[in-house]
Amino acid sequence: MASENTRKWAIIPEPNSMTVGEGTVLLPYAGRVNESIAIGDGDFLLAHQLVADIRSATGTDWDIATGDMWSGFIRLRIADSWDFDSQDGGTAGAYTLTINTDGITITGCDFEGVRNGVQTLRQLIRQNGAVLPVLQIEDAPAYRIRGYYLDATRGRVPTLAWLKQWADKLCLYKYNQLQLYIEHTFAFDGMSETWRGSSPLTPADTLEFDQYCANLGIELVPSVSTFGHQYVAMRTQELRELGEFPEDADRPFSFIERMRHHTLNVADDRAFAFSAQLVDSYLQLFRSKRFNICADETFDLGKGKSKQEAQRVGVATLYATYVGKLCEHLSKQGREPMFWGDIAIEMPEILETLPNNVTLLNWQYEPEATDEKIQLVAQAGAKQIVCPAVWGWNALLPRIDDAWNNIARIARYGLDCGAEGMLVTDWGDFGHVNDPRMAVPGMIFGAQYAWNPAGDTAENDLLERISRVEYGDCSARFVVLLRNASAQAVFTWRELVEYLELDDGTGNCNTDVAQTIPCLADRLVDHLSDCGNAMTVREARNRMMRNMATTIERIPQANRALQQCMVDIAPIAAHMGNPGITAAVRIAMEGQLLLNRVGFALAEAHDVRDAHDAGDWRPSDYRALARELECWCEAYAKEWNATSQPSELHRIQETVWKAADELRRISK
């Protein structure tokens, strides 16, 4: 294989076997793609993908045909027999690609194999135009299932048009499964109180998108919360009695509480009827036989309304019985159940009760994750799909280093333990402030490592290849600069939300929020015993900011580095011809500059920093900073609309406005 240092093009995922020959091949100015009807691509989508990329890269229009009577410079074929095995011993998705002076031939063992070969050729055309390298590729994926999991519920509901663009991108990088995370953002009949005002996806959206994905060779798998994470539903008038703590239904909205509470009371028979209704109505809209019931993070199980039943049978049994009942309900309808594995792994006795057709989605997001949990599930004999993350949640800029470390590790562990696939997750905790376009590098990490986990690809090498292939950046520096910018996030969206939500809305300290902040959780009980009073908001915020003192010291230096990243990335972005990502990156970087300045200002207001310690950098006065935040928020809202429905944009805006109001308050 030619070294990446000696050529200006790349392929992602990197092929398992590639031989680059001498010379080049010039594409005809009036060529044809001949796609065999045996591939099963009814609308000849694969041929159309190639024709579209040739037109975009060269300006020439190509023909499409099928059948032996029609010649084609590019030929797409199904193999009569196959002897090239993928790493897991199978052949699904395998292909060969040959480029020489006689033409270009892609041969796949099945539709997916041809599709994968076409995506490789598309990447080459996009980078090289009409002059392609002579080469021979034999390639196949390590994981049979290579999926992406997109949060479409915690604040941001994508537009159907953007979902289709995302599916196109997943196809280009050879993903073959997609799931959308749904809590309350689907227009289920009879549940308008739950989904009102959320810009919900509809049955028509789902049917159209399911067909669109199927044409691309992507399985759209239904996924809906049926147990934990029922925050919105359990706060409604009609459904609150089904929750563990219905008395909390009227508490003010909180991003943090939404993540941690509102579990169904499964000791109530009505709970199963509710979950079954969700399942039964949703599954009818999908062609997939798989169904993800989620069932993760059931934090309140056995602590509220179900406490008596949990004491009688045990929390593990209560959980396993309910999940088992839902799985059986799906199995009777010919479906294959999936659910998140966190609770079963915490209580391993649950693993022994799983039916044979259930797949555990084993998520681990730590950058330094070990293989312990994956080994545990493998040793129990349960089917599993390993699930790393793109690390975009709670932040304006993606944590690229964390994503690379997490995804590369989990992919290797899963392969070693015989996992059936990898599902790369993209979450939007705390309002989904993270622009979904910022997840592209992490998504491509997932594509590379789901294809070849055992490879020795270095992070910087992959970042350079992503810059070339995805962004058309000849300097290969775009993603490296984005990574460097993300490292300058000192005071993040998460810290801002935590700071603001320590006020419960009445001027008192929100102890539920405080308990999620490590520096406060251990102090709450001690403070009450020492003083005889609950911690005040001022005291909690003081402690939080003082705990960040060392971090806050980095802000002047971090903002100078971030501004330099903006200077360096601007001319690169100008030549990429992608104004959408250029705007998204600029808004995210500007927003992080402001967040850092807000953190610095709050630290000063809480006497964490004295004025004489500020060095050569000081934030603007508080009122001016408040105005800058509000202006930035308007620009951010415009970019939100480029990918997403209105959904919960207003909550992001309200949080920014609260921050601006707090800055004005402390300026007095």
Side-chain angles (χ1 to χ4, degrees), residues 473-487:
D473 168 26
C474 295
S475 76
R477 296 180 62 219
F478 181 77
V479 185
V480 173
L481 288 169
L482 182 60
R483 186 269 309 275
N484 295 347
S486 70

Side-chain angles (χ1 to χ4, degrees), residues 400-416:
I400 289 176
D401 283 342
D402 289 339
W404 183 80
N405 277 302
N406 176 237
I407 291 169
R409 287 171 184 268
I410 295 301
R412 289 194 295 269
Y413 298 156
L415 185 66
D416 291 342

Side-chain angles (χ1 to χ4, degrees), residues 371-387:
D371 66 350
E372 182 179 357
K373 293 180 179 179
I374 297 172
Q375 289 275 13
L376 177 67
V377 175
Q379 290 166 5
K383 294 196 297 184
Q384 66 176 319
I385 290 174
V386 293
C387 308

Side-chain angles (χ1 to χ4, degrees), residues 1-2 7 9 18-25 99-100 132-137:
M1 180 183 298
R7 52 181 162 86
W9 52 267
M18 178 168 69
T19 302
V20 180
E22 296 294 330
T24 57
V25 174
I99 302 177
N100 57 38
L132 301 181
V134 172
L135 57 73
Q136 172 72 32
I137 290 175

Side-chain angles (χ1 to χ4, degrees), residues 124-172:
L124 290 169
I125 291 169
R126 289 182 175 198
Q127 295 170 81
N128 294 284
V131 182
L132 301 181
V134 172
L135 57 73
Q136 172 72 32
I137 290 175
E138 292 185 342
D139 205 9
Y143 281 117
R144 180 174 57 86
I145 295 172
R146 304 175 304 285
Y148 198 84
Y149 195 86
L150 178 64
D151 188 342
T153 209
R154 288 179 175 161
R156 187 188 291 268
V157 178
T159 63
L160 182 58
W162 186 83
L163 283 173
K164 290 179 178 179
Q165 292 175 27
W166 192 250
D168 289 337
K169 202 172 293 294
L170 293 177
C171 176
L172 181 65

